[in-house]
Amino acid sequence: MSLLDIPDVFTGSTDDGHTFVILNRPIRDADRLLTDAGFLPREHHGRRLHLLPPGIAQDVHERAGVAMYGLLAHTHDLVDLSWTTRGSPDQPAGGPDLHFQVRDGTVAVTASTTAARLLLEQHGFVPTADGASYRTRDGLDERQLLSAVTAAESHAYTHGLSARVHLGIPTPADIPASARRRSAPATGPRTTPSAPRRTR
């Protein structure tokens, strides 16, 4: 299982700037909500996903926000780690305060400010031997890795720190195959999210 398989709805970005939404279980009205927001539906390696081509960050943010707001009526198990939806006119021109790199079941993070480093340490990230970056503690499974990333990234935004998550997916064609079985269609919201989600 990868991080993409854990929540009902996973939103992420490819390195080439596509925004994607993965549906890990059938959700009523999801296709309509996403296509109305401009996402293009497709089946990909056993996954039902929706793609939004690269565009202006503010426009992508608004489209994804409208779709996620509609999906909240059916599930609270949403995780949004997309960097393509984060841009805003008042965002600083430099790089992010926190840069997460997710690859092969590991998470490496670089922090460009003291506040960002302190925040990572508060969330249990440990410095690497050379001190150039941080990593998650040993022994975490995929669900715990996802929780660590979403918690630290959400906390960063509440403190005005910028964050960017790279999932190690160069293009939409590189989104990995699904590791979950499809379940029966949903009739209402689930009560317990399996991973924290960031509020838009």
Side-chain angles (χ1 to χ4, degrees):
M1 181 183 290
S2 76
L3 302 187
L4 280 61
D5 296 303
I6 294 170
D8 288 349
V9 180
F10 186 100
T11 304
S13 304
T14 59
D15 293 347
D16 67 357
H18 285 80
T19 306
F20 63 86
V21 176
I22 289 175
L23 303 175
N24 284 312
R25 71 177 179 100
I27 297 173
R28 189 176 57 227
D29 296 329
D31 282 344
R32 179 185 57 78
L33 289 165
L34 288 160
T35 55
D36 285 354
F39 285 82
L40 305 173
R42 67 193 287 193
E43 292 291 331
H44 178 74
H45 298 312
R47 291 191 185 281
R48 181 66 170 170
L49 62 87
H50 292 74
L51 285 175
L52 196 61
I56 299 169
Q58 191 63 30
D59 181 52
V60 174
H61 172 79
E62 289 173 8
R63 289 175 181 273
V66 166
M68 293 308 108
Y69 182 78
L71 289 171
L72 281 171
H74 305 286
T75 181
H76 292 153
D77 191 10
L78 295 93
V79 170
D80 181 2
L81 294 180
S82 59
W83 59 264
T84 46
T85 62
R86 300 296 184 253
S88 64
D90 57 350
Q91 186 171 354
D97 297 299
L98 291 163
H99 183 225
F100 295 83
Q101 182 69 52
V102 180
R103 180 171 285 127
D104 300 326
T106 64
V107 177
V109 195
T110 54
S112 63
T113 65
T114 299
R117 287 188 284 275
L118 291 172
L119 185 141
L120 287 174
E121 291 169 8
Q122 183 179 350
H123 284 273
F125 287 81
V126 295
T128 56
D130 61 6
S133 62
Y134 286 77
R135 62 175 178 79
T136 50
R137 298 186 317 274
D138 292 332
L140 300 184
D141 63 19
E142 286 82 358
R143 189 173 301 276
Q144 292 167 322
L145 286 173
L146 181 61
S147 293
V149 172
T150 55
E153 197 225 14
S154 298
H155 193 185
Y157 277 99
T158 66
H159 285 279
L161 300 173
S162 58
R164 185 163 177 165
V165 179
H166 276 222
L167 298 169
I169 302 173
T171 71
D174 300 299
I175 295 172
S178 174
R180 287 176 66 160
R181 287 184 173 268
R182 304 289 289 273
S183 58
T187 56
R190 285 173 48 174
T191 55
T192 309
S194 58
R197 74 172 173 80
R198 182 168 62 224
T199 305
R200 289 192 164 271

